[in-house]
């Protein structure tokens, strides 16, 4: 007999673990199958952006993550241009540098504490679906070959996704940059902030990782080697000196490798009962540090939809809207990070001087710089709203102060920690509460006067007043977004 669960997640990277935590918080039984036999100690991602920190705040783990990392309040652009993050309208007006395994450890701890089962040493080898569910074949590290069955499955299994292959989906795109060098090193001259520069011969980027080590990512135009070719620290030193004028005394590498950056996106994020999220759905240049951040937001967007579907309370189209909302975001991340990388790679010194000058000018024009900062940090992400909707619909919900809310919640993002919809209203009748919706009252007058916030922190519906007509509209919005009201069950 296959082991059964409500949702199966393939891959315990950041995307899978975030999704598992959100599903478990919503009361869904969830199993994560992970090929690795031990927790990850690798650090690919190390930049956690403001919008991701807001999401992690709405899950109760941001403060702990921030406490262990390094805050950077400027984002290094091409050349010497820097984007000021301190002006971001967020509780987290900075970029956090922290190793990916720290983020994963917190996500794993949360998911397991909430009841998700994470099975290590379980490599998924195949997947089939029928009208009622999904069957997944697994090869365990102990040699056994169990099968698992679930109502829904999610491939969060990274760039070479087995789930994507089993769905017969292509992964169109291209190899963007070959032979990029990566080195995690100690520096004799430690850096407090990331530094980057591009010259005719190549590029070098050096950043603290937040744990005393530094990450060097470099590319040497004149030394294009296969990714399997051996890499010595001298190769990295040479191009770093050319690009940045010094190698900062790099020594004692703990990790040296070459990789190639691809720009690819799967055409569909959903096939029947199976979904794709994170690197399984999109990969792109590491410029701008967007991959993990985007995967975590995919997961938060998908989780509440799946939870509603498992409960049989998903209004029409709620599952399909995952792809409709997240596919365009993935496309724009691929486009923007690719553009950033191509600008850095410009061959002509004249064009490079112009690009650098344009970057320097742009970051000095406050409205333009603010827009760039909001985009780079995910703060600007918004989803399409129906015509006639309130201007805030589809946008990120502001972290309002609350007069009352569930438990000790004093802010909206604390009220979101139960992974339910949150209705912000001074006069909401108790009967609107359901097991998927909590009601909170703002601490003072707010604009808008009422707001229905999705579990992923985006505004589903809002109204500027709270008179009778608006209350009817509020009840209609709850029915449309949350499903049938079931009487007070907070
Ligand atoms: C050099 C570099 C720097 C980067 N820097 C940043 C950054 O600063 N910020 C950022 O946001 N992103 C960054 N990224 C990208 C980021 O690392 C990825 O986007 C992120 O790890 C994707 O998370 P994921 O959970 O979707 O996939 P992954 O992290 O790839 O996790 C997938 C998991 O699935 C497991 N798995 C795979 N196949 C199977 C199978 N068949 N059965 C069971 N389990 C399976 C894997 O073992 C793995 O644990 C960087 C990437 C690189 C290469």
């Amino acid at each position: 007999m296959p082991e059964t669960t409500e949702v199966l997640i393939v891959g315990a990277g950041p995307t899978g673990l975030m999704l598992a935590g959100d599903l478990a918080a919503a009361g869904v039984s969830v199993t994560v199958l992970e090929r690795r036999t031990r927790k990850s100690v690798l650090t690919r991602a190390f930049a956690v952006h403001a919008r991701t920190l807001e999401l992690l705040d709405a899950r109760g783990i941001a403060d702990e993550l921030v406490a262990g990392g390094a805050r950077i309040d400027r984002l290094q652009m091409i050349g010497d241009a820097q984007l000021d993050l301190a002006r971001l309208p967020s509780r987290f007006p900075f970029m956090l540098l922290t190793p990916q395994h720290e983020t994963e450890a917190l996500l794993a701890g949360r998911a397991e504490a909430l009841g998700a089962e994470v099975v290590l040493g379980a490599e998924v080898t195949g997947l089939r679906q029928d009208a009622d569910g999904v069957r997944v074949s697994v090869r365990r590290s102990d040699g056994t070959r169990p099968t698992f069955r679930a109502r829904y499955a999610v491939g969060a299994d990274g760039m070479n996704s087995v789930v994507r292959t089993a769905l017969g989906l292509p992964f169109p795109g291209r190899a963007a940059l070959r032979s990029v060098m990566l080195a995690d090193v100690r520096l004799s001259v430690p850096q407090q902030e990331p530094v980057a520069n591009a010259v005719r011969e190549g590029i070098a980027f050096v950043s603290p990782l937040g744990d005393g080590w530094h990450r060097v990512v470099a590319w040497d135009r004149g030394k294009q080697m296969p990714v399997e070719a051996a890499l010595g620290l001298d190769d990295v030193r040479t191009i770093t000196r050319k690009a940045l004028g010094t190698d900062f005394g790099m020594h004692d590498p703990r990790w040296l490798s070459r990789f190639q950056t691809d720009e690819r996106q799967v055409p569909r994020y959903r096939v029947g009962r199976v979904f794709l999220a994170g690197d399984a759905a999109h990969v792109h240049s590491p410029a701008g540090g967007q991959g993990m951040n985007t995967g975590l937001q995919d997961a938060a967007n998908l989780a509440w939809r799946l939870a509603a579907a498992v409960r049989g309370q998903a209004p029409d189209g709620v599952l399909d809207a995952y792809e409709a909302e997240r596919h365009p975001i993935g496309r724009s991340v691929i486009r923007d990070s690719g553009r950033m990388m191509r600008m850095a790679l410009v061959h002509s010194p004249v064009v490079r001087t112009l690009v650098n000058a344009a970057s320097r000018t742009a970051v000095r024009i406050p409205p333009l710089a603010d827009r760039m900062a909001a985009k780079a940090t995910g703060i600007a992400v918004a989803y399409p709203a129906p015509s006639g909707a309130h201007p805030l619909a589809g946008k990120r919900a502001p972290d309002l102060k609350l007069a009352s809310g569930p438990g000790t919640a004093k802010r909206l993002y604390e009220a979101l920690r139960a992974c339910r919809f949150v209705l912000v209203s001074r006069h909401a009748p108790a009967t609107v509460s359901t097991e998927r919706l909590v009601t909170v009252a703002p601490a003072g007058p707010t604009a808008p006067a009422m707001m229905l916030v999705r579990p992923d922190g985006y505004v589903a519906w809002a109204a500027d007043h709270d008179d009778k007509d608006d209350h009817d509209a509020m009840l209609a919005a709850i029915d449309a977004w949350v499903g049938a009201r079931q009487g007070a069950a907070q």
Side-chain angles (χ1 to χ4, degrees), residues 412-436:
L412 176 63
Y413 287 15
E414 290 175 352
L416 282 166
R417 289 177 186 172
C419 291
R420 301 190 212 176
F421 279 83
V422 177
L423 177 67
V424 182
S425 166
R426 286 175 182 284
H427 310 294
T431 50
V432 301
S433 296
T434 77
E435 61 180 9
R436 296 184 51 227

Side-chain angles (χ1 to χ4, degrees), residues 423 428-434 437 439 475 478 484-490:
L423 177 67
T431 50
V432 301
S433 296
T434 77
L437 172 76
T439 309
L475 295 177
I478 291 172
R485 280 167 278 136
Q486 303 169 333
Q490 276 194 62

Side-chain angles (χ1 to χ4, degrees), residues 322-486:
Y322 164 64
E323 175 181 311
E325 289 190 348
R326 293 304 299 172
H327 195 278
I329 302 289
R331 193 169 54 228
S332 88
V333 169
I334 292 170
R335 191 187 54 225
D336 292 348
S337 61
R339 189 182 293 150
M340 208 183 292
M341 190 186 67
R342 278 181 273 284
M343 272 165 40
L345 288 178
V346 164
H347 197 250
S348 147
V350 177
V351 178
R352 193 168 330 106
T353 306
L354 289 174
V355 167
N356 290 352
S359 288
R360 271 198 305 273
T361 308
V363 299
R364 284 195 203 115
I365 302 171
L368 185 55
D370 288 351
R371 273 212 302 281
M372 288 163 70
K375 192 149 206 300
T377 57
I379 292 285
V381 166
Y383 300 122
S387 68
H390 190 278
L392 212 55
K395 309 249 169 35
R396 127 191 190 273
D399 189 14
L400 300 175
K401 287 207 173 79
L402 303 181
S404 70
T408 56
K410 294 278 180 293
R411 298 182 286 116
L412 176 63
Y413 287 15
E414 290 175 352
L416 282 166
R417 289 177 186 172
C419 291
R420 301 190 212 176
F421 279 83
V422 177
L423 177 67
V424 182
S425 166
R426 286 175 182 284
H427 310 294
T431 50
V432 301
S433 296
T434 77
E435 61 180 9
R436 296 184 51 227
L437 172 76
V438 290
T439 309
V440 302
T446 55
M450 287 192 290
M451 197 163 57
L452 179 65
V453 182
R454 302 174 358 177
D456 57 353
Y458 288 85
V459 176
W461 171 91
D464 285 328
H465 307 286
D466 57 1
D467 57 24
K468 169 88 176 66
D469 285 352
D470 292 304
H471 271 244
D472 291 346
M474 176 251 284
L475 295 177
I478 291 172
D479 286 343
W481 279 92
V482 189
R485 280 167 278 136
Q486 303 169 333

Side-chain angles (χ1 to χ4, degrees), residues 135-459:
R135 181 183 285 262
V136 167
S137 323
V138 171
R139 181 167 47 218
R140 296 294 308 264
S141 47
D142 63 6
T144 56
R145 288 178 168 267
T147 55
F148 287 73
R149 191 166 167 86
R151 295 185 54 198
Y152 295 95
V154 182
D157 49 343
M159 180 175 173
N160 300 312
S161 170
V162 165
V163 175
R164 191 182 63 230
T165 306
L167 293 174
L169 290 173
F171 203 29
R174 60 186 181 142
L177 198 56
R178 293 172 203 277
S179 211
V180 184
M181 296 173 267
L182 181 154
D184 281 0
V185 293
R186 297 281 189 194
L187 296 186
S188 305
V189 188
Q191 298 299 293
Q192 302 307 318
E193 294 182 1
V195 283
N197 197 32
V199 289
R200 195 184 173 86
E201 294 91 335
I203 314 174
F205 166 86
V206 178
S207 172
L209 280 173
D211 62 355
W213 290 81
H214 284 72
R215 162 72 44 88
V216 186
V217 179
W219 180 76
D220 191 333
R221 196 186 297 276
K223 268 199 176 175
Q224 293 299 291
M225 314 286 280
V227 281
E228 310 79 39
L231 176 64
L233 192 56
D234 277 342
D235 297 319
V236 185
R237 282 192 184 111
T238 305
I239 188 65
T240 305
R241 275 189 215 123
K242 284 182 186 157
L244 291 166
T246 168
D247 64 17
F248 306 103
M250 60 179 81
H251 57 94
D252 285 344
R254 70 173 173 188
W255 186 19
L256 275 170
S257 75
R258 293 180 197 274
F259 66 97
Q260 119 177 353
T261 72
D262 281 25
E263 294 178 343
R264 300 181 186 279
Q265 187 176 28
V266 71
R268 296 170 65 190
Y269 280 20
R270 175 188 184 189
V271 177
R273 293 176 168 275
V274 185
F275 297 78
L276 293 168
D279 276 19
H282 45 74
V283 290
H284 45 80
S285 140
Q290 298 292 334
M292 180 180 76
N293 289 277
T294 309
L296 293 175
Q297 299 288 347
D298 287 348
N301 188 296
L302 178 58
W304 60 269
R305 302 173 188 282
L306 276 177
V310 166
R311 299 273 162 269
Q313 293 172 336
D316 282 351
V318 86
L319 286 178
D320 284 334
Y322 164 64
E323 175 181 311
E325 289 190 348
R326 293 304 299 172
H327 195 278
I329 302 289
R331 193 169 54 228
S332 88
V333 169
I334 292 170
R335 191 187 54 225
D336 292 348
S337 61
R339 189 182 293 150
M340 208 183 292
M341 190 186 67
R342 278 181 273 284
M343 272 165 40
L345 288 178
V346 164
H347 197 250
S348 147
V350 177
V351 178
R352 193 168 330 106
T353 306
L354 289 174
V355 167
N356 290 352
S359 288
R360 271 198 305 273
T361 308
V363 299
R364 284 195 203 115
I365 302 171
L368 185 55
D370 288 351
R371 273 212 302 281
M372 288 163 70
K375 192 149 206 300
T377 57
I379 292 285
V381 166
Y383 300 122
S387 68
H390 190 278
L392 212 55
K395 309 249 169 35
R396 127 191 190 273
D399 189 14
L400 300 175
K401 287 207 173 79
L402 303 181
S404 70
T408 56
K410 294 278 180 293
R411 298 182 286 116
L412 176 63
Y413 287 15
E414 290 175 352
L416 282 166
R417 289 177 186 172
C419 291
R420 301 190 212 176
F421 279 83
V422 177
L423 177 67
V424 182
S425 166
R426 286 175 182 284
H427 310 294
T431 50
V432 301
S433 296
T434 77
E435 61 180 9
R436 296 184 51 227
L437 172 76
V438 290
T439 309
V440 302
T446 55
M450 287 192 290
M451 197 163 57
L452 179 65
V453 182
R454 302 174 358 177
D456 57 353
Y458 288 85
V459 176

